[in-house]
Amino acid sequence: MSQLIVKNITKSFNKKVVLEDLSFTIEDGEFVSLLGPSGSGKSTLFHLIGGMYSPDSGDFYLDGEKITGKRGSISYTPQSPSLFPWRTVIKNVVLGSELYGKPDEQKAQTMLEKAGLAGYEHAYPHQLSGGMRQRVAFVRSLLSPQSFICLDEPFSALDEFTRLEMQKWLLDIWGQNRRSVLFVTHNIEEAIYLSDRIIVLSSNPATVKREFNIPFPRPREEAMHLTEEFLRWKKEIYQELRVLQ
């Protein structure tokens, strides 16, 4: 587990400011979702945290250490699973730890079993469904040595029922590890169901518009989607996003 501090981040491309003086903190073991209009810079922020870009100004701190422009400090799962087609499932999930010289295939086997992938260890990505490939990608993130995970709309390509099953699975697996997670989604219900806190970003350029502390206890139950309180939260967050369009 770890704490991430995003401090006064500004980033421009071709003289267009995408992120402006953006600041927030993710605490140890916290699951935080980012919501905002399309093009509000959510994926750009992930690339900055991961060190793929450098900000024009501002810094990132992980457990007090400055990681601005530094690669390899976090585990990042993009929208597509990004599995290597020539590697088996188990070889894909140990890749992150393999890069650091510490692959543990026994631990990987246990995690795959928890993910409902027992028997698929030696299958190749093309032999798996979309939901199964996403599970493999997330297990890879959990097995990577980094303590902070960024998830960029990992369920956006899935149908509604598969998406809900993946959300439940994610909460179950995450609850056993409690890594700090920053999760990007466009789906308000998904953000409420998964998160301890939701950060709403404005656009043109992106700044923190508002934060919502989600009060539902853990473990989360699927039935919470049908409660009046859940609907109230959905309406309030929807109204906040609507004025940003």
Side-chain angles (χ1 to χ4, degrees):
M1 294 189 289
S2 57
Q3 180 198 61
L4 177 75
I5 297 174
V6 177
K7 187 174 182 181
N8 305 121
I9 296 296
T10 295
K11 179 64 178 177
S12 302
F13 292 101
N14 300 320
K15 298 184 178 180
K16 180 182 178 182
V17 182
V18 179
L19 306 173
E20 185 173 49
D21 199 27
L22 190 67
S23 297
F24 58 85
T25 298
I26 312 297
E27 300 295 347
D28 280 353
E30 192 178 23
F31 196 121
V32 176
S33 287
L34 286 179
L35 283 173
S38 295
S40 60
K42 298 183 293 296
S43 294
T44 296
L45 177 62
F46 273 14
H47 292 150
L48 289 166
I49 295 171
M52 289 174 271
Y53 306 147
S54 292
D56 301 335
S57 60
D59 287 297
F60 299 98
Y61 296 89
L62 189 62
D63 283 343
E65 177 187 349
K66 187 161 79 170
I67 61 166
T68 313
K70 182 179 177 182
R71 298 192 180 193
S73 299
I74 64 158
S75 178
Y76 173 54
T77 300
Q79 293 181 28
S80 60
S82 300
L83 304 176
F84 288 116
W86 60 87
R87 292 180 72 115
T88 61
V89 165
I90 198 161
K91 292 298 183 182
N92 264 290
V93 299
V94 299
L95 180 60
S97 53
E98 186 178 294
L99 294 173
Y100 287 81
K102 314 183 232 185
D104 186 341
E105 291 201 3
Q106 184 57 52
K107 185 176 180 181
Q109 177 74 39
T110 301
M111 289 294 293
L112 288 170
E113 289 173 3
K114 289 181 180 178
L117 292 166
Y120 289 93
E121 301 86 348
H122 304 295
Y124 289 88
H126 74 272
Q127 297 173 303
L128 307 179
S129 67
M132 293 168 75
R133 287 194 292 271
Q134 286 292 2
R135 293 185 189 201
V136 173
F138 189 66
V139 170
R140 180 179 60 192
S141 294
L142 289 175
L143 288 171
S144 295
Q146 299 91 342
S147 58
F148 194 93
I149 301 175
C150 286
L151 300 175
D152 190 356
E153 294 194 78
F155 308 143
S156 61
L158 304 178
D159 65 79
E160 183 176 354
F161 293 106
T162 303
R163 185 174 187 144
L164 181 57
E165 287 303 310
M166 285 300 300
Q167 291 166 7
K168 291 191 291 185
W169 174 82
L170 170 58
L171 285 180
D172 181 55
I173 296 295
W174 172 78
Q176 298 172 35
N177 294 271
R178 283 286 178 145
R179 300 253 189 126
S180 304
V181 173
L182 184 58
F183 185 93
V184 164
T185 179
H186 283 97
N187 188 298
I188 297 173
E189 289 191 4
E190 180 170 74
I192 298 171
Y193 183 50
L194 296 176
S195 308
D196 298 306
R197 187 158 48 99
I198 295 171
I199 297 173
V200 175
L201 298 182
S202 63
S203 61
N204 303 315
T207 59
V208 174
K209 177 68 173 174
R210 189 171 171 188
E211 294 190 17
F212 295 89
N213 290 301
I214 306 302
F216 295 101
R218 296 188 185 276
R220 300 278 166 86
E221 301 291 339
E222 182 181 346
M224 66 183 270
H225 287 86
L226 305 177
T227 64
E228 290 185 11
E229 186 180 7
F230 190 95
L231 184 58
R232 283 196 300 271
W233 279 97
K234 182 179 177 181
K235 285 180 177 178
E236 186 173 356
I237 296 170
Y238 172 79
Q239 292 298 333
E240 192 69 37
L241 287 167
R242 189 177 183 185
V243 300
L244 299 175
Q245 299 300 324

